[in-house]
Amino acid sequence: MTAVLIACAHGTRFEEGRVVIRALLDVLRETAPAGVEVLEAYVDVHGPYVTDVVAAARERTDDIVIVPLLLSTGYHTEVDLVEAAGGLPIARALGPHPVLAEILVDRVRATGAGASDTVVLAAAGSTRPGAVVDVERMAELMADAGLAAPIVTAYAAASEPRIPDAVDAARSAGHRTVAGSYVLAPGHFSRVIEKADADLTSEPIGADPRLAEVVWERWRCARGALARCAGCDRSCSFAAAGAQPADAPGSAQAEGAERVEASGRAPAEGAELVEASGRGSGSVPSTGSGASAREPVPSMGSGASVRGSVPSMGSGASARGPVVSTNSGAPPRGRIAKRVARATGRAVLVTLVVTVVGVVVLAVAGLSDDGGVRRRRRA
């Protein structure tokens, strides 16, 4: 019976991004174990959509695993992919992973970054707290992989600090800035990172052949063939309670295991979570322009996390040793504002309803009194 790996990317309206994803799919097919078929799927923007791919695959086999080609946990994996899977096992996101950290370090070094520069690990961002945790862990793994420069995590959307704020803060502390593009293929977010105007910007990850190692490890872990993936602080798990690992008939899902997922939610055409190609070892299709050098400018929002020693990163951030995180996990200011607005709106609505009801009651009472007076006069 054929086994199927459904490689599910986000999707992008930028053709250069689609080219990179297809190149990565080619790498996966070339490295696939015997008897394993790799299918292309997307969770948003364009097809083939993952729900349709899952339905077609179910007609041929029950040995199906969905592996998100997404970098961090988020809405698509915690909600969209779980719904599409219908109980099939879903591997966790590609990141965090030591191999991914090695690729990112290579991309940053290719820009000419030095130990005195500040690296802004620029991720897409997500409303899901797990996405921020994953990006923080990736920064730690990059330091473990030998990147000597201090690393600050920042986000294009949803999470804080935002990439331009992190870049400005590093500059105001007197450091040259390097935006490390933590995106997969060219698209909306790769452009957001470029517009942050760091002094240097790395190419995104792209169809690096080393990614195949990560994907196949995630696949084996989701099937139950591995207890834990490299760099994971938790076990990979399954999309629904009772899903059976294909390599272990009869074995039940581990108690307390999580659903496992990747990447954050974004408007379909405006903010895709699929991003940019990369320059790496081996023959890798690259649609990026390489490192870009820009003139310095100025300051860093609070909530930044810093690795390495950085003198003064602006308000709320500190640099005390190799890993310092000041990200409290509190919801972004935008979400708090929305909640306050919703609460205020409800209060106003309740006040209006009470006022209208009071007016109606008084009017009815007034009419009743007038009717009584008229009846007494006739009598």
Side-chain angles (χ1 to χ4, degrees), residues 224-241:
L226 290 176
R228 181 170 297 191
C229 293
C232 293
D233 53 5
R234 59 187 185 270
S235 300
C236 286
S237 178
F238 305 99

Side-chain angles (χ1 to χ4, degrees), residues 43-292:
V43 74
D44 208 345
V45 185
H46 61 83
Y49 291 104
V50 62
T51 48
D52 299 329
V53 176
V54 166
R58 280 185 188 274
E59 294 178 0
R60 299 188 290 114
T61 181
D62 295 325
D63 190 352
I64 304 168
V65 174
I66 300 172
V67 179
L69 300 184
L70 303 168
L71 298 177
S72 304
T73 225
Y75 186 93
H76 285 312
T77 52
E78 292 179 347
V79 179
D80 291 339
L81 285 186
V82 172
E83 291 176 356
L88 294 174
I90 306 170
R92 65 170 299 178
L94 299 182
H97 195 285
V99 171
L100 199 54
E102 291 172 8
I103 297 171
L104 285 167
V105 168
D106 286 349
R107 298 289 181 269
V108 169
R109 284 176 175 162
T111 67
S116 61
D117 299 329
T118 293
V119 174
V120 177
L121 182 59
S126 171
T127 57
R128 301 279 160 154
V132 173
V133 172
D134 285 352
V135 175
E136 294 279 344
R137 178 61 182 147
M138 271 307 309
E140 293 170 357
L141 290 173
M142 288 174 69
D144 293 343
L147 188 64
I151 306 170
V152 178
T153 56
Y155 306 89
S159 306
E160 298 289 343
R162 297 300 170 86
I163 298 165
D165 295 334
V167 168
D168 288 346
R171 279 215 186 96
S172 60
H175 297 274
R176 189 171 69 159
T177 58
V178 183
S181 299
Y182 190 29
V183 290
L184 191 59
H188 172 77
F189 285 130
S190 65
R191 285 158 173 76
V192 170
I193 293 167
E194 289 168 1
K195 289 176 183 176
D197 284 329
D199 300 307
L200 302 167
T201 301
S202 73
E203 292 191 3
I205 293 158
D208 193 294
R210 290 171 287 182
L211 282 178
E213 179 183 341
V214 181
V215 171
W216 290 114
E217 185 179 271
R218 296 298 196 221
W219 174 76
R220 289 194 302 273
C221 196
R223 297 177 96 225
L226 290 176
R228 181 170 297 191
C229 293
C232 293
D233 53 5
R234 59 187 185 270
S235 300
C236 286
S237 178
F238 305 99
Q244 301 295 319
D247 288 355
S251 62
Q253 183 179 10
E255 185 177 357
E258 304 148 279
R259 283 190 172 172
V260 340
E261 282 75 39
S263 171
R265 186 158 188 87
E269 285 291 318
E272 293 98 46
L273 289 179
V274 128
E275 279 54 62
S277 91
R279 178 195 302 130
S281 57
S283 57
V284 184
S286 173
T287 58
S289 60
S292 56

